[in-house]
Every structure is written in C-alpha cells, then in structure tokens.
C-alpha cells in the first residue's frame, strides 16, 4: 500500500477525532449552561430557605439534563472514537509488516569490508569520534586512511560557514591540476564569492583591484561571467538596481559548499553519496516488494532464498539508478554482453536468447510477443546503452 493511502486514512482519523472532540465540548458546554442557569435562579429566590422553590428548580434542571442525555452522548462519541482509532493501527500493521526478517537472505558478508564502509560513512558525515571508536573496537586500521581527507574537508566547511574562503583557496590551489582535469570551476566560483563580498562591503577601488588580480586570469575562458562581475563594480553602493543582482544571492554560498564536498570526495576516490546511506535507502524502497514476494512464495511453499534472480522487478527511484540496464520482458533475464538487448523491426526489444528461442535458432520468422509484426533474427539489431 502506498504512503498516500495511509496518509489519507490518517487524515480521516484526525478529522473524525476533531469532530468528536468538538461535539463532546458542545455537550459539556450545554450541561454547564443549564447548571449555571439553575444556580442563577436559586440566587434570585427571595426566600432561599423555601424548599418548594429549590425543589422546583432542581427538578427542572434534572428534567433538562435527562432530555440532553449527556452521558449517553459522550459514551457514544467515545465508542465512535475508539472504533476509528482501532482501525488505523490494523491498517498500519497490514501495510508495514513488522517482521522484516522474511526479506532477509543468507549472504556471506565480508565483515572487514562492512566495517570499512560504516567507518567511512561516519567520517563522511563528520562523526569522527564514532568512526575512531569503530576502527578501534573492530580492529580496522586500514579504514583510517580517508579520515584525514574528510577532516580537512570539514575544516574547510566550518570556515565557509563564517564566509572564510582562506582554507578553501589553499586546498583548491594545492589540487588545481586535478580539479582542472575534472573540469571543475571551483577556483572561479571561489573568487566570484570573494569579489561579491567586496562589492557589497568595500569600495569600487577594492573591487577593481581584486578583479584585475584574481578574476582577469579567467576572462579568456569565461568572458560572459567575467563581464557580469566587472559590471557590478559600477553599482557599488546601489546593488539593488544592479542588472546582475542574482550574483549577490546567498544560494551561491550553498552551491559552492556542495561543490566543494563533491570535489573532495572525487579526489579521494569516494562517492558523493555515502555507500551505506545509498544501500539503506534502496533497501527501504525495495523492502515492501521483497516482503510481498516472500509471503507469496511461502504460500506456494517455495523457497525464494534459493533463487539466483528475483522473479519480479524491484522499482527504485531515479536517484538510486546509477547504470542503464535492460531486463528482457519475456525471459526476465538482465541484458549482458553474452545476452544483449536486440531491437526488432516493430521497435520492441527482447534479449538475444529470447529471439533465438522464438526463431528456432534463426531458422524461421517469428511473431513479436507484443504486437502482430513478424520478424526474423537477421532483422534484429543490437542495442547499446
């Protein structure tokens, strides 16, 4: 069940709860109003010791309260509230199977590698104490190799938080050649940030001097960017009217920070996204499908743990798709160099082995499984992703 369905069910429960609370409050207020009216009548009696008047007022109050029936109404609302609340946990249990162990497969883990991945994750997140503790207790001294790189990265990031570009410039200068090979524009972006700060807080002379010294070397390759920055000098003191005011946006600092992280990870051979976080995210998305498969296979008394390939696709978001793959819709086999995807004349695609089977090893024409078109193996062309 999708989360949207659960959210809709939750919203309905909340709505009914609010309505029930509102009606309960109305009943309590009505009872309170009747009692207040009775008290006012009692206070207004000329002879407060007269039992006749008191009895009459109290009898009238009792009659009105019996007519309202507050206890029955409140009990009914409470019963309705309990029913609504009891249904939602059942829906949650149905949607989120608490026993996720059904989706577990026996895998021979390389615990040495797993420890390194977890330690690297802690370092990449800036949790150096946790990473050091894991390395010490697990006895994984090799994993500490990347610690110094990420420590340097976080020192740069801390400086960027207070708009101190010095540490970032030092790192970029030391790694200029590698960054250029990656096609990075970090150095230009850094000087652009510094130049903009001078334009905001300094004088035209300061901005012009900085542009001549630090921006001019980039003019030949980035003339358009250079011209926009130089024009800003004219608008010092009145930047609100500058035609390139977008250069002053604080989001450029955030973008530069993310670019620094990407380049740091790239130069030390680490991915921008922690492998551990990617694996966990993919597992969370794929878990409902795997649990459903496990339940179906258990009902059929089949052991899915022994399968080399899943009989159903596990849909993951685009952010978790790193390589283009093809899965044959007929055989459910994943395309490979030995079994490549083949484009038929009708533009449907099957894997080569499926085409060989359908054509009886190229001995006859065959009908496309998805349309009336007939084709031969010779008419099919290999696709390259």
């Amino acid at each position: 069940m999708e989360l949207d369905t659960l959210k809709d069910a939750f919203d309905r429960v909340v709505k009914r709860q609010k309505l029930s609370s509102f009606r309960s409050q109305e009943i309590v207020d009505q009872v309170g109003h009747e009692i207040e009216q009775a008290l006012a009548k009692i206070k207004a009696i000329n002879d407060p010791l007269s039992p006749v008047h008191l009895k009459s007022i109290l009898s009238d109050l009792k009659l009105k309260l019996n007519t309202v029936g507050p206890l029955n109404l409140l009990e009914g609302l409470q019963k309705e509230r309990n029913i609504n609340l009891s249904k939602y946990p059942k829906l949650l249990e149905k949607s989120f199977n608490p026993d996720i162990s059904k989706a577990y497969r026996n895998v021979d883990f390389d615990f040495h590698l797993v420890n390194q991945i977890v330690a690297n994750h802690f370092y990449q997140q800036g949790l150096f104490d946790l990473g050091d503790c894991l390395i010490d207790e697990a006895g994984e001294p090799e994993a500490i190799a990347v610690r110094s790189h990420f420590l340097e990265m976080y020192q740069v990031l801390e400086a960027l938080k207070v708009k101190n570009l010095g540490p970032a410039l030092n790192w970029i200068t030391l790694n200029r050649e590698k960054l250029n090979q990656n096609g990075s524009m970090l150095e230009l972006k850094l000087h652009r940030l510094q130049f903009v700060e001078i334009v905001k807080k300094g004088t035209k002379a300061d901005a012009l001097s900085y542009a001549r010294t630090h921006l001019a070397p980039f003019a030949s390759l980035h003339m358009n960017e250079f011209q926009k920055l130089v024009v800003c000098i004219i608008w010092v003191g009145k930047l609100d009217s500058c035609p390139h005011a977008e250069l002053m946006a604080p989001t450029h600092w955030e973008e530069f920070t993310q670019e620094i992280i990407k380049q740091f990870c790239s130069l030390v051979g680490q991915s921008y996204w922690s492998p551990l976080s990617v694996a966990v995210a993919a597992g969370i998305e794929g878990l409902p499908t795997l649990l459903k498969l496990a339940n179906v296979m258990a009902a059929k008394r089949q052991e899915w743990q022994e399968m080399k390939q899943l009989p159903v696709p596990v849909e993951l978001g685009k952010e978790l798709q790193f390589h283009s793959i093809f899965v044959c819709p007929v055989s459910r086999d994943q395309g490979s160099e030995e079994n490549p995807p083949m484009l038929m004349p009708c533009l449907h695609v099957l894997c080569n082995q499926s085409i060989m089977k359908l054509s009886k090893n190229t001995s006859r024409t065959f009908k496309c499984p998805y349309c009336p078109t007939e084709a031969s193996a010779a008419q099919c062309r290999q696709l390259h992703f």
Side-chain angles (χ1 to χ4, degrees):
M1 181 177 292
E2 295 183 358
L3 290 179
D4 288 341
T5 306
L6 289 174
K7 184 179 182 302
D8 292 340
F10 176 78
D11 290 340
R12 286 195 297 271
V13 172
V14 171
K15 185 177 180 180
R16 289 170 181 169
Q17 285 291 95
K18 289 181 178 179
L19 179 62
S20 177
S21 298
F22 178 76
R23 291 173 62 188
S24 297
Q25 188 62 47
E26 278 188 330
I27 294 170
V28 172
D29 291 342
Q30 186 176 359
V31 171
H33 178 69
E34 295 295 344
I35 293 174
E36 287 175 357
Q37 282 190 329
L39 288 173
K41 290 178 181 179
I42 292 174
K43 290 179 181 179
I45 297 175
N46 294 327
D47 184 6
L49 299 177
S50 173
V52 177
H53 293 294
L54 289 174
K55 187 175 181 181
S56 174
I57 294 171
L58 293 176
S59 298
D60 186 45
L61 174 62
K62 182 178 180 182
L63 179 63
K64 289 181 178 180
L65 292 180
N66 288 337
T67 303
V68 174
L71 290 178
N72 292 333
L73 290 176
L74 290 173
E75 287 177 359
L77 290 172
Q78 182 64 38
K79 183 177 180 181
E80 183 182 351
R81 186 184 296 118
N82 291 339
I83 291 174
N84 292 331
L85 287 174
S86 64
K87 288 181 178 179
Y88 190 66
K90 294 178 181 178
L91 184 62
L92 287 175
E93 289 178 5
K94 183 179 179 181
S95 304
F96 299 106
N97 191 328
D99 186 12
I100 64 174
S101 63
K102 295 179 182 178
Y104 173 77
R105 298 190 71 173
N106 293 323
V107 178
D108 293 329
F109 280 109
D110 182 345
F111 289 100
H112 174 71
L113 180 61
V114 171
N115 288 334
Q116 285 190 336
I117 291 173
V118 176
N120 285 356
H121 173 78
F122 287 145
Y123 289 144
Q124 191 166 352
Q125 301 301 313
L127 304 172
F128 295 100
D129 290 342
L130 282 176
D132 293 342
C133 182
L134 175 63
I135 287 176
D136 182 57
E137 294 186 5
E140 301 285 353
E142 299 89 348
I144 206 168
V146 299
R147 185 186 189 279
S148 60
H149 297 292
F150 284 120
L151 182 60
E152 182 182 11
M153 182 183 80
Y154 274 94
Q155 289 172 346
V156 171
L157 296 180
E158 287 299 316
L160 288 177
K161 288 180 181 179
V162 293
K163 296 189 175 182
N164 177 9
L165 292 168
L169 179 59
N170 293 336
W171 181 81
I172 291 172
T173 303
L174 288 173
N175 296 279
R176 180 179 288 136
E177 185 177 347
K178 294 179 180 178
L179 291 171
N180 289 337
Q181 291 175 356
N182 287 348
S184 172
M185 294 173 57
L186 265 182
E187 190 168 3
L188 172 59
K189 291 179 179 179
L190 181 146
H191 287 301
R192 181 181 66 186
L193 289 174
Q194 187 63 59
F195 175 78
V196 167
E197 289 302 306
I198 294 173
V199 168
K200 287 180 178 179
K201 302 175 183 178
T203 64
K204 290 182 180 181
D206 293 335
L208 183 59
S209 175
Y210 192 90
R212 284 173 175 169
T213 305
H214 300 288
L215 295 179
F218 298 96
S220 59
L221 295 178
H222 307 281
M223 180 56 70
N224 186 44
E225 181 83 4
F226 177 74
Q227 289 174 339
K228 287 182 179 180
L229 291 168
V230 172
V231 166
C232 293
I233 298 176
I234 304 173
W235 299 90
V236 170
K238 45 184 177 180
L239 292 176
D240 292 340
S241 304
C242 179
H244 305 301
E246 75 279 357
L247 295 174
M248 315 296 163
T251 54
H252 290 298
W253 283 91
E254 299 170 10
E255 293 170 1
F256 181 77
T257 299
Q258 294 305 315
E259 183 67 19
I260 277 278
I261 296 173
K262 289 180 181 179
Q263 293 302 329
F264 250 105
C265 293
S266 175
L267 294 193
V268 298
Q270 300 289 321
S271 62
Y272 175 67
W273 298 106
S274 159
L276 180 63
S277 61
V278 171
V280 171
I284 291 173
E285 283 201 28
L287 186 59
T289 301
L290 296 178
L291 286 172
K292 186 175 181 179
L293 172 63
N295 290 332
V296 171
M297 299 301 288
K300 294 182 178 180
R301 297 186 178 181
Q302 296 179 359
E303 184 55 59
W304 80 283
Q305 298 273 5
E306 299 176 359
M307 293 182 175
K308 294 182 179 179
Q309 186 172 340
L310 294 176
V312 293
V314 178
E315 299 293 340
L316 299 177
K318 290 184 178 180
E319 70 279 3
L320 296 173
Q321 297 177 13
F322 303 98
H323 304 284
S324 297
I325 61 171
F326 170 75
V327 176
C328 179
V330 173
S331 65
R332 297 290 184 182
D333 291 331
Q334 184 173 311
S336 63
E337 292 183 4
E338 296 76 21
N339 186 26
M342 305 293 289
L343 180 68
M344 296 188 293
C346 59
L347 302 182
H348 286 117
V349 182
L350 303 178
C351 69
N352 187 58
Q353 290 181 0
S354 295
I355 288 177
M356 290 298 103
K357 290 180 181 179
L358 291 171
S359 65
K360 302 293 183 182
N361 287 327
T362 73
S363 63
R364 65 179 180 83
T365 60
F366 62 94
K367 183 179 177 181
C368 172
Y370 295 96
C371 71
T373 305
E374 289 195 355
S376 65
Q379 293 175 309
C380 301
R381 295 289 179 266
Q382 183 176 341
L383 282 179
H384 299 273
F385 290 102

